Amino acid sequence: MTQEKHLIIGASSGIAKALAKKLATNQGENLLLVSRDFSQYDDEQFSNSMKISISDYSEQTISLTCEQLTSSLLEQVTQVYMCNGLLHTPAFLPEKQLANFSANQFCQTMFANALTPMLWLTHLVTKLKAKPFCKVVVFSARIGSISDNQLGGWYSYRASKSALNMMLKTAAIELKRTAKHIKLIAFHPGTTDTALSRPFQKRVAQDKLFTTDFVAQQLLEIVKRHQVDGELSYVDWQDKAIAW
Ligand SMILES: NC(=O)c1ccc[n+]([C@@H]2O[C@H](COP(=O)([O-])OP(=O)(O)OC[C@H]3O[C@@H](n4cnc5c(N)ncnc54)[C@H](OP(=O)(O)O)[C@@H]3O)[C@@H](O)[C@H]2O)c1
């Protein structure tokens, strides 16, 4: 039997690195990692991993990268994790009010959170042929739930995760017909101690701020548990379904 491979896109993410550590076997020979920044992957544990260094997440880069990955390699991929996400940059923080909303922030946030995973899905989907199944996890967030929006604010980040959820739901309907072996999971990790949440951690109770190690473990158990059923699962770190 050929060895199962796991593909992690956006591998520099704090949660992605914790996932990679848990998934790696034989110095990570089962891992295909995609990132713009591999500075955290010097350890021996990843010496056999395939590290695909990209300069950006343009459609051209994503399409070329998928072309360069051979079919025989992608056919062994049984789990995909898309970890990309953007909440703030040196130039902006999430909007507190309409007055903070800008086209630039909206476009950058939509690009990273909604468009980037959808482009990967588009270019990968016909190549993910692992049997009996391939499970694809895309990092969403509870904040993308429209019915759960009690607090307001964070316009661009909320909208980008809602848009992502809608596109994944639409893709699940299509894949139910065209690629029955693919299972899509939109995952909310909970507030996790990474660069993304760092500016907002002061307001979070200690027991509500998770380590990347904890979240990675929870996610691996969720991936094991979920069967291929033609549906998009939108779940949190406890595997509880989130209302749309
Ligand atoms: N941390 C939390 O509290 C929390 C809560 C809810 C949801 N999430 C979601 O969980 C996922 C992982 O988050 P994290 O906390 O591990 O994040 P992180 O450590 O800040 O990592 C950022 C990730 O986003 C990618 N990225 C950054 N800028 C990008 C851009 N302009 N275009 C495309 N990709 C870009 C990076 O890719 P490279 O590897 O190429 O650098 C990396 O994968 C995200 O989707 C996030 O929204 C996190």
Side-chain angles (χ1 to χ4, degrees):
M1 199 183 124
T2 50
Q3 203 207 356
E4 286 186 33
K5 303 271 186 207
H6 306 314
L7 170 61
I8 303 182
I9 298 167
S12 84
S13 119
I15 301 172
K17 176 79 193 291
L19 264 174
K21 278 189 174 169
K22 289 187 182 294
L23 285 167
T25 54
N26 296 331
Q27 275 86 52
E29 70 172 17
N30 59 330
L31 296 183
L32 312 180
L33 306 168
V34 176
S35 182
R36 299 163 307 169
D37 172 12
F38 277 108
S39 54
Q40 300 167 68
Y41 281 87
D42 289 340
D43 359 353
E44 180 62 18
Q45 200 188 359
F46 303 108
S47 54
N48 290 336
S49 299
M50 179 185 266
K51 301 184 189 87
I52 303 153
S53 187
I54 56 171
S55 55
D56 56 49
Y57 286 98
S58 67
E59 182 161 23
Q60 193 189 16
T61 300
I62 292 172
S63 140
L64 261 177
T65 307
C66 293
E67 286 306 316
Q68 282 160 5
L69 285 166
T70 60
S71 311
S72 57
L73 202 53
L74 285 174
E75 279 169 16
Q76 297 170 55
V77 171
T78 57
Q79 294 174 28
V80 179
Y81 297 90
M82 302 192 194
C83 305
N84 302 79
L86 182 72
L87 175 60
H88 56 87
T89 69
F92 62 71
L93 287 169
E95 312 92 337
K96 288 193 173 145
Q97 52 196 356
L98 282 171
N100 308 132
F101 186 82
S102 76
N104 177 42
Q105 178 164 351
F106 179 74
C107 291
Q108 280 193 52
T109 309
M110 280 297 228
F111 179 92
N113 297 353
L115 184 60
T116 298
M118 283 311 290
L119 288 173
W120 282 106
L121 188 64
T122 302
H123 289 278
L124 280 173
V125 82
T126 55
K127 299 168 192 263
L128 296 174
K129 293 193 168 141
K131 291 286 162 20
F133 51 71
C134 177
K135 297 182 182 175
V136 178
V137 175
V138 184
F139 279 72
S140 180
R142 191 187 301 281
I143 207 167
S145 162
I146 292 175
S147 55
D148 190 65
N149 184 357
Q150 310 295 330
L151 293 175
W154 294 31
Y155 287 86
S156 297
Y157 189 71
R158 272 183 200 284
S160 65
K161 295 293 189 182
S162 301
L164 173 68
N165 289 348
M166 177 58 93
M167 289 191 285
L168 291 174
K169 174 84 184 170
T170 307
I173 291 168
E174 179 178 332
L175 299 184
K176 195 173 189 167
R177 280 184 280 113
T178 58
K180 292 184 180 23
H181 64 292
I182 295 182
K183 168 69 185 171
L184 295 180
I185 299 173
F187 176 64
H188 169 62
T191 308
T192 309
D193 182 13
T194 66
L196 182 135
S197 68
R198 210 145 287 146
F200 313 98
Q201 291 180 2
K202 275 194 212 117
R203 278 174 276 143
V204 180
Q206 266 313 305
D207 63 336
K208 296 270 174 357
L209 179 65
F210 303 138
T211 64
T212 55
D213 189 60
F214 169 75
V215 169
Q217 190 57 43
Q218 293 293 112
L219 176 55
L220 293 182
E221 281 158 28
I222 289 168
V223 169
K224 233 184 267 164
R225 211 174 295 139
H226 278 254
Q227 303 302 313
V228 184
D229 55 4
E231 303 291 331
L232 168 66
S233 297
Y234 178 30
V235 294
D236 70 7
W237 52 277
Q238 301 173 94
D239 202 12
K240 284 201 177 138
I242 302 173
W244 298 108

